[in-house]
Amino acid sequence: MASKVIRLLHWGEDSLAFLVLFLLALFPTMEVVARKFFHTGVANSTEYTHYLVLVLTFFASIVTSREHKHLSISFDFPFSPGVKEKVAVATSTLAAALTMAMAWAALSFALNGFDASDKVGPFQIRTIALALPLGYAIMALRFVTGLPARAWARGIAALGLALGTLLALEPIFNALTSLGLLELPPEGVIGFFHQLMGWLGWPLLLLLIVAAVFGAPIFIVLGGAGYLLFARLGEPLEVVPNQAFAMLTSSSLPAIPLFAFTGFLLAESRAGERLVRLFRAFFSWAPGGLAIMAILVCAFFTTFTGASGVTIVALGGLLSYVMINSRYDKTFTKGLLTASGSIGLLFAPSLPVIIYGVTAQINIKHMFNAGLLPGFLLVLAMAVMGVVHAKRVSVERVPFQP
């Protein structure tokens, strides 16, 4: 019975995430159609799109924590299984503590950062912002439940939830005040909290750096470091979720999930195979034509998927098979495909360039213009290498096939 309930919850999470992604793609499409054919627009479509990105981000983070696929940096240390398990418990405990602390801070931000009159369409922005504490809280719980089903492991990790609550005393009292349960936060408790964080700030920060080496999620390392430094300085901790909210509702960010969705459709469809056949027909008659074909296909595909890794997964097997069977060296083929996939990141509408532009507050159009020349030079250099290698190993040319 319990397993059925869990599967139902997982299905609900996946369904809601897909629904939000569908709506995120639907509103811009409706806006384009309305402007093109009806010379009008969809009311609040831009605002809906911005806030859907926020909701999608935290639904995706919930699913990611469930699947244990948070981005992290870890090293395969030669520890015994018992030591590795204890390290995992310690890392999960710290991650649960900091995520829980950010959940409380996000709740205080959602309650105090907006008035009831702040709305987008019929929806209160305060209600939409509750996606932040909900996402953080569920991730914190899953850092505990994701450990092996042993009482001592989950018991220790559960202490991280209590520690996270302690690390968020001030935001908790701010939230209680906003709800009308307190008139003012108690000054004695707030003073004790500031003193406590002055003592714990640096030790916890050092532990966080060590945890990063042992596989703590990168978002925990970066967000937790900011949280601890703000807490140590006595600054309002609601600043951390406020920055996340401002970033996730910026005007440029919807391009990221939409291009990721486009890349998924390209990778899962047969578009890659059709691209290979097209470019092979155009270029395989020339010296090094297959290498040029591979370079152009990889660069073109990565431009839209936004990740060279996706290109390698989607096209690497097919392209390597074609090139190796055409007498290209196996090592050269792997290197060519890996390097060519990264070239596409320089051309519009490359996702990493958009992310960098949003983060650094730089004009994205100017960045794409600046990437054209180095991108074309890299394509040319790779093509020259392909031609030279093809002549050296006497690769057979294939006549043009319209």
Side-chain angles (χ1 to χ4, degrees):
M1 182 64 182
S3 61
K4 290 184 179 179
V5 173
I6 291 174
R7 285 199 299 269
L8 181 62
L9 288 174
H10 291 178
W11 177 84
E13 292 171 358
D14 295 339
S15 299
L16 287 173
F18 280 118
L19 175 62
V20 175
L21 182 59
F22 171 75
L23 292 174
L24 181 60
L26 179 64
F27 277 108
T29 304
M30 292 172 58
E31 183 73 18
V32 170
V33 172
R35 290 184 180 183
K36 178 70 175 178
F37 297 102
F38 303 103
H39 305 291
T40 183
V42 179
N44 300 312
S45 65
T46 301
E47 289 78 9
Y48 286 141
T49 302
H50 293 170
Y51 291 114
L52 281 170
V53 172
L54 171 73
V55 176
L56 177 63
T57 299
F58 281 90
F59 269 122
S61 67
I62 290 171
V63 175
T64 303
S65 63
R66 184 188 77 203
E67 301 295 331
H68 308 291
K69 291 185 177 180
H70 283 297
L71 188 63
S72 62
I73 301 172
S74 60
F75 300 91
D76 188 16
F77 293 105
F79 296 150
S80 65
V83 173
K84 287 185 178 181
E85 185 178 18
K86 291 180 176 62
V87 169
V89 171
T91 302
S92 295
T93 302
L94 184 60
L98 290 171
T99 312
M100 196 67 203
M102 286 191 278
W104 288 118
L107 177 62
S108 176
F109 163 72
L111 295 175
N112 292 290
F114 307 97
D115 294 326
S117 59
D118 293 334
K119 293 183 177 181
V120 52
F123 305 102
Q124 286 187 344
I125 297 179
R126 174 185 294 177
T127 304
I128 299 172
L130 289 175
L132 278 77
L134 178 64
Y136 282 130
I138 293 177
M139 283 190 286
L141 289 173
R142 283 186 168 159
F143 282 125
V144 177
T145 59
L147 290 169
R150 299 184 184 182
W152 71 269
R154 293 188 175 181
I156 292 174
L159 293 176
L161 303 179
L163 176 60
T165 302
L166 179 64
L167 296 177
L169 276 181
E170 185 175 13
I172 290 173
F173 281 110
N174 290 339
L176 293 175
T177 303
S178 177
L179 292 171
L181 301 177
L182 290 175
E183 291 187 6
L184 289 173
E187 294 184 4
V189 176
I190 301 303
F192 165 76
F193 172 74
H194 289 164
Q195 189 175 22
L196 178 67
M197 293 310 299
W199 295 335
L200 295 180
W202 284 117
L204 287 175
L205 192 59
L206 292 175
L207 284 175
L208 187 60
I209 295 172
V210 174
V213 178
F214 289 102
I218 290 178
F219 89 92
I220 290 291
V221 178
L222 298 179
Y227 185 93
L228 292 173
L229 290 173
F230 270 98
R232 187 177 180 277
L233 295 174
E235 298 291 335
L237 296 174
E238 289 81 0
V239 171
V240 177
N242 181 32
Q243 285 298 105
F245 182 89
M247 178 68 73
L248 291 172
T249 55
S250 65
S251 58
S252 301
L253 211 65
I256 296 175
L258 291 176
F259 277 123
F261 183 54
T262 303
F264 172 79
L265 294 179
L266 286 174
E268 294 297 320
S269 68
R270 301 179 67 87
E273 296 181 17
R274 293 193 291 271
L275 276 174
V276 170
R277 290 199 300 270
L278 173 66
F279 281 93
R280 188 178 185 185
F282 280 139
F283 296 102
S284 59
W285 58 269
L290 283 177
I292 297 173
M293 175 270 297
I295 295 165
L296 294 177
V297 169
C298 287
F300 182 81
F301 204 81
T302 304
T303 294
F304 290 95
T305 61
S308 57
V310 176
T311 300
I312 298 303
V313 171
L315 298 177
L318 175 62
L319 289 172
S320 61
Y321 175 81
V322 171
M323 293 186 66
I324 291 172
N325 280 275
S326 298
R327 298 178 60 184
Y328 281 91
D329 180 77
K330 187 175 182 180
T331 303
F332 175 83
T333 299
K334 290 181 179 179
L336 183 78
L337 296 179
T338 303
S340 301
S342 301
I343 296 176
L345 300 178
L346 293 172
F347 299 114
S350 167
L351 192 57
V353 173
I354 295 174
I355 295 174
Y356 183 87
V358 171
T359 305
Q361 299 297 308
I362 298 175
N363 188 294
I364 297 173
K365 181 180 178 182
H366 293 169
M367 292 188 63
F368 280 133
N369 291 337
L372 289 175
L373 180 58
F376 285 129
L377 288 177
L378 286 171
V379 169
L380 180 61
M382 294 292 292
V384 170
M385 288 179 58
V387 171
V388 171
H389 183 80
K391 288 187 175 181
R392 191 177 68 184
V393 298
S394 302
V395 174
E396 182 181 358
R397 304 185 198 178
V398 179
F400 176 72
Q401 299 174 358

